[in-house]
Amino acid sequence: MNKSSTRGIFLSVAFLFSIALISFTSNVYAEEISVSSIALEETSIIELKNNSDEEVNTLRIWLGGDFNFKSFKTEKGWTGEKNSQGVIIFTSSESIKPGESVKFGVKTDKSNPGINWKALDNKNTQIDTGLTIAKGLPAIIKNSEPKQSADNTNQSMKEDAVFRIIPEKPNVGSSIRITGDNFASSQEYDFYIDTKKLGSFTTDNNGHFMTTMKIPKDQEAKRVDFKIKDKEGQEKKLSIRIGEGENRIADSENIPLTIKGLPDEIHRGDFLEISGTADPGSGIKIEIEAPDGEIIRTRTTETDSKGNWKLEPLLVPLDRPFGKYIGTISDGKQSITGTWEISSDKKIIITPINLKFEPGEKMKFNGTAIPNKSIEIILEDPLGKEVISDIIQIDDTGKVEFEFSTTQNTPEGTYTLIATQEKEKEFTYAGLGQLPSIPVNIEFDKLNYKSSETAVISISGKGSEIINLLIIDPSDKPKGEAVSIQLQPDGRGSHSIDLSGFSSGVYNAVVSKGNAQSTETFTVGLQIGSGEIQINTTKLDYHPGDSILVLGDTGSNVLLTLTLIDPNGEEVKVRETFSNKNGKISEDSFRIPSDAIPGMWTIKAKSGSNFDNVEIEVLATSTEGMVVLVEDGPNYPGVGKSKNIIVHGGQQTVSIEIIAEDDEIIDKLSFPASAQGEIKQPWIIPKDTEPGTYTIRVEDAFNTAESTFQIQ
């Protein structure tokens, strides 16, 4: 085959599609999704079988080592895109339902590649991930004359032959998937709607088939017979009603042009989510005019079948001038305008350099904060789990820079960056693998209240949405009924709670919108100075970037202040907290700054006249700060042996080098450490690697470590 010939690529793909797949499934992954592949030279066919309970809409594939994709081919109804990281993203508007499968063809620059994969649902949530090794084709047996079997003579349409249509309720103009079993092997059949032929297909050696057809747009919406006919006119049929489809809108329907999501006031670093309505099929154009009259942005979109439209989020740049802005929205027939003001009352302004990052990219955030003050930054994943955090000392410029390295296996979704400086707190959002959506957040004006006071809650979320608020009392029971609160167009809102009748104790406020929710704790009637205080930490030696868990005992429902103090006597962080009804103290919000001064640090607990101190030592360097181990991994047929790289005590991004005995660096890797400082990643040993002793060297922003291992 001419490797440079495009025609050769597609001939290979067509040839491979016609041969039954030989599965080679990873032992490590694929409990829910089965992905297998076969290869002919540089061309591979990948088959995804959905054995999970979820519907698959996206498949991402990428190669390890020094393999590269050259081209790809999809089934009808699927599209493919290769991004800048070399990842091919296959997507379809029609999902692969449980029990179904789909095939893709790819060509690589080398034969028999190991292909990493990740299956996602229609919300870009990961369902499963794994590795498939391309298997070579078996030898082809040539017969001088095909043998006639009983199946291929007079039984091309067997009595027990069955087929079905996916989806079960198709619409006019939509694509459908037809699958069947117990037909004659290797036979060609025709597919009809009533008397109209839509296409042909051929069964495999087992009498099974799966194919895709498209219902014509001029097809009448009614009950029809879907038919499969053989060459002798025998048929199997299935009677199904074809629907009009969601895109059928009554001609008389007239939807007005509207806009929502424009706040009265917005800040640098915020992003606008603008949406509205218009006639179905309309093109929407928005122009944004700056205070000086210049048109600074123009965006377009289209309405859906129900007349709704939505723009991708618009990020307000950090250098955008303050003042009044005008947005003009037009559907070609009429125009409407909306106005908003960019103001400057925010003290912390941090934004991502992109609203959407791809897996494998670094998520970078830039901005400004109060000069010459430390700032705590926490990054949470889509499930609200802390993935990385740090305390950064801001210089006199006020500039803030923060980044997080991702891999192809990093969970996709909306990431939340929480920046806290003194009493200021701001939330920033960025998407991995998708555009971000704004979650619901809640904050009280203080921690402890008297029963005669009114608690004030600040809420942030998506502009103009309605959220529910529920208070949980100290016995974990609802305090009254849930309250509905509508946020302002800028996504902010507030709510007051009259605390009359609230008994002393610890309460939780839960705000929710659909499946998203946020919980914040507040207290009522807690006292200070109610008993002796004893505190301790879970260890005495710490390194820059380490988190600190403070535990202790005092009286029940006592209000305390915890302070972290450096060797120079400077207060690094002050936290107001409390003991529970059993007198237990537990506080995990403290962290050693990444640029911490080595020496003895102090944590001070105080409540009224009662206090207690505990000292911890922060080490400048540590030979035990990071540990790297290399263990034998599985042997992947067609690719070779592997090693498992295990790192403990890593912080942020960890760089890895594999070094030969002659000091040649044979491979470089980079992975983000988990919140627990751990990394566990497989490494495929290159085929031409000589046996011997090798060194692995790892380095993060604070420590280095190395170890040796053998390659047989």
Side-chain angles (χ1 to χ4, degrees), residues 239-304:
S239 180
I240 294 178
R241 177 174 293 279
I242 297 179
E244 290 185 344
E246 292 184 358
N247 57 341
R248 292 295 183 92
I249 304 292
D251 294 337
S252 61
E253 187 171 355
N254 184 20
I255 300 178
L257 178 64
T258 64
I259 182 173
K260 58 183 179 180
L262 287 182
D264 296 328
E265 184 181 46
I266 198 169
H267 305 86
R268 290 172 172 174
D270 290 349
F271 63 90
L272 291 167
E273 287 191 312
I274 303 175
S275 59
T277 62
D279 285 337
S282 299
I284 302 297
K285 178 181 179 182
I286 180 170
E287 293 183 336
I288 299 178
E289 180 181 322
D292 61 2
E294 180 186 359
I295 302 298
I296 57 173
R297 275 185 178 177
T298 301
R299 294 290 178 88
T300 60
T301 187
E302 294 182 355
T303 56
D304 61 19

Side-chain angles (χ1 to χ4, degrees), residues 3-104:
K3 297 180 181 178
S4 65
S5 169
T6 303
R7 181 174 178 269
I9 295 172
F10 291 111
L11 284 175
S12 297
V13 171
F15 174 65
L16 289 170
F17 266 117
S18 67
I19 299 178
L21 287 176
I22 300 174
S23 297
F24 183 89
T25 306
S26 168
N27 294 325
V28 180
Y29 304 104
E31 295 180 354
E32 295 182 332
I33 304 294
S34 171
V35 176
S36 56
S37 59
I38 57 172
L40 176 63
E41 297 182 347
E42 291 86 10
T43 303
S44 301
I45 295 301
I46 306 165
E47 182 179 33
L48 181 151
K49 293 182 179 179
N50 187 2
N51 302 317
S52 71
D53 296 328
E54 305 294 332
E55 296 184 4
V56 179
N57 287 79
T58 302
L59 177 67
R60 294 173 178 265
I61 60 172
W62 66 97
L63 299 170
D66 54 355
F67 285 84
N68 297 290
F69 288 117
K70 296 180 67 176
S71 62
F72 60 86
K73 185 176 178 66
T74 68
E75 284 191 5
K76 291 182 179 179
W78 284 77
T79 60
E81 177 186 1
K82 181 180 176 183
N83 65 19
S84 58
Q85 284 76 46
V87 181
I88 296 179
I89 305 171
F90 296 113
T91 57
S92 175
S93 59
E94 297 183 8
S95 58
I96 301 300
K97 294 180 172 57
E100 297 179 3
S101 64
V102 64
K103 297 177 184 177
F104 306 97

